[in-house]
Amino acid sequence: MTTTIRTASTDADYEAWRAIRIAVLPYERCPTVAELRALDRPGRLMLLAEVAGELAGSGLADRSGDGERAALVPRVHPDFRRCGVGTDLLRVLAEHAVAEGYDMAGASVDDEESRLFAERFGFVETNRQVEQVRRIGDEPRPAPPAEYEIVSVAERPELWAKAYHQVALPTFPDMDHPVPIKVSADDWDKEWINDPAAMFVAVAGDEVIGVAGLMLDTDRPERAEVAYTAVRREWRGKSVASTLKRTSMAWAAEHGVTEIYTWTQRGNDNMRRLNEHLGFSYGIVSLTLRAPLPLSGLLR
């Protein structure tokens, strides 16, 4: 069975790429075509795989969040697995990463079959995340705090840029990553918010002290992903994070969202406990993998 692999370039290609992602990961929010377009940059490669003229898979090669490795994402439609499509996609993605100068690749898998596939090419587990899920019911807004104010980014758009400098940059090193993630101000605007009305900040005087909110899903508007939640160190232990999260949960109830979910890294026990306290239950476990480039096992 011959696999034809080509670069995704048109909006129709991007919709096809989205179709594969949704088929493979129906439980995760998929970026819209417009969001994918906004992420276009030198070195980022999006692929489509076809077998006998039928869409069979997709691929993505991009820089990782920490900028130290290439993120490789081959995906195969369930109807075309065990036919070599994933290997063909991974080969093209890995060769592109090497050409871009990377000597390490990263990937993530959510099921046993994908883990075994990745291990064939030298990937090993380095971290894991657990999904936490919360059904949305009657969610009253929390009482206004005395020491700070909760506002949406839609109400005060200028606070999102301040949140990057005053909350995001100081708290990114606290995330459980071997190498701290690197997020530019441009990435913060493009990738970390998609509806200002669903994103909230905590403000004390002229300072932003915390952020939390939701990433809305246009394909499944009844579900939303919990956005980056963080509080400055000196404000922790004062219920800022829980107040922000309860505010976003109340917003979800008011806007027809019936379920929210989040991914929490191993080691982030404080956030897991907070989510448990707020009524989240546990779901899928996702493994973070790494392998040196060039990948072993990719013989032509």
Side-chain angles (χ1 to χ4, degrees):
M1 187 176 294
T2 302
T3 306
T4 301
I5 297 178
R6 60 184 178 86
T7 302
S9 57
T10 67
D11 283 356
D13 290 341
Y14 277 44
E15 284 289 8
W17 190 95
R18 293 182 73 253
I20 294 294
R21 189 185 190 281
I22 291 169
V24 175
L25 300 174
Y27 46 84
E28 281 193 26
R29 176 186 177 276
C30 182
T32 65
V33 169
E35 289 173 324
L36 291 172
R37 283 289 183 201
L39 295 174
D40 284 342
R41 55 192 170 211
R44 179 178 166 92
L45 176 66
M46 295 179 65
L47 300 175
L48 292 175
E50 297 171 346
V51 174
E54 291 190 60
L55 184 64
S58 68
L60 172 68
D62 200 3
R63 67 171 186 255
S64 63
D66 58 25
E68 301 294 321
R69 54 196 162 83
L72 305 184
V73 189
R75 295 192 179 99
V76 180
H77 191 280
D79 294 343
F80 289 91
R81 289 180 181 165
R82 303 180 188 87
C83 299
V85 177
T87 300
D88 291 338
L89 279 165
L90 184 59
R91 178 179 290 110
V92 176
L93 295 172
E95 290 175 350
H96 174 79
V98 171
E100 288 292 313
Y102 291 102
D103 59 10
M104 184 67 66
S108 61
V109 298
D110 299 343
D111 61 272
E112 183 69 4
E113 183 179 2
S114 298
R115 181 185 68 80
L116 293 172
F117 172 81
E119 288 178 349
R120 285 170 45 200
F121 304 102
F123 283 92
V124 297
E125 178 183 342
T126 59
N127 203 342
R128 57 177 57 192
Q129 299 183 82
V130 64
E131 182 190 40
Q132 292 181 280
V133 183
R134 171 69 149 76
R135 295 292 297 174
I136 297 297
D138 181 18
E139 311 289 345
R141 294 229 173 197
E147 295 182 84
Y148 55 90
E149 179 185 10
I150 304 291
V151 297
S152 74
V153 177
E155 295 173 279
R156 295 188 58 186
E158 77 282 1
L159 293 180
W160 189 240
K162 291 187 71 173
Y164 172 71
H165 294 284
Q166 297 178 355
V167 177
L169 291 182
T171 59
F172 283 151
D174 297 338
M175 297 177 70
D176 188 38
H177 285 276
V179 179
I181 65 170
K182 299 174 183 176
V183 178
S184 69
D186 188 53
D187 292 338
W188 181 249
D189 285 334
K190 290 179 179 178
E191 300 181 47
W192 295 69
I193 184 172
N194 73 346
D195 189 329
M199 187 67 69
F200 299 90
V201 296
V203 186
D206 294 330
E207 298 289 311
V208 180
I209 62 170
V211 298
L214 301 171
M215 298 288 285
L216 305 186
D217 188 338
T218 56
D219 299 296
R220 296 187 61 185
E222 77 281 4
R223 296 189 83 228
E225 183 174 3
V226 176
Y228 183 59
T229 303
V231 175
R232 281 166 42 169
R233 296 182 188 93
E234 68 271 24
W235 281 88
R236 293 173 189 171
K238 299 181 179 181
S239 299
V240 179
S242 63
T243 302
L244 281 163
K245 284 205 165 190
R246 289 184 188 278
T247 301
S248 67
M249 289 159 56
W251 187 96
E254 295 162 4
H255 291 82
V257 177
T258 59
E259 184 177 81
I260 61 176
Y261 64 96
T262 186
W263 293 92
T264 311
Q265 290 95 358
R266 179 176 59 195
N268 194 352
D269 295 333
N270 289 337
M271 188 57 68
R272 289 193 189 185
R273 283 194 294 267
L274 171 60
N275 290 336
E276 290 171 358
H277 177 71
L278 293 174
F280 283 76
S281 59
Y282 286 94
I284 298 166
V285 174
S286 176
L287 306 184
T288 301
L289 311 175
R290 289 193 180 184
L293 291 170
L295 293 180
S296 63
L298 282 178
L299 300 178
R300 290 189 178 274

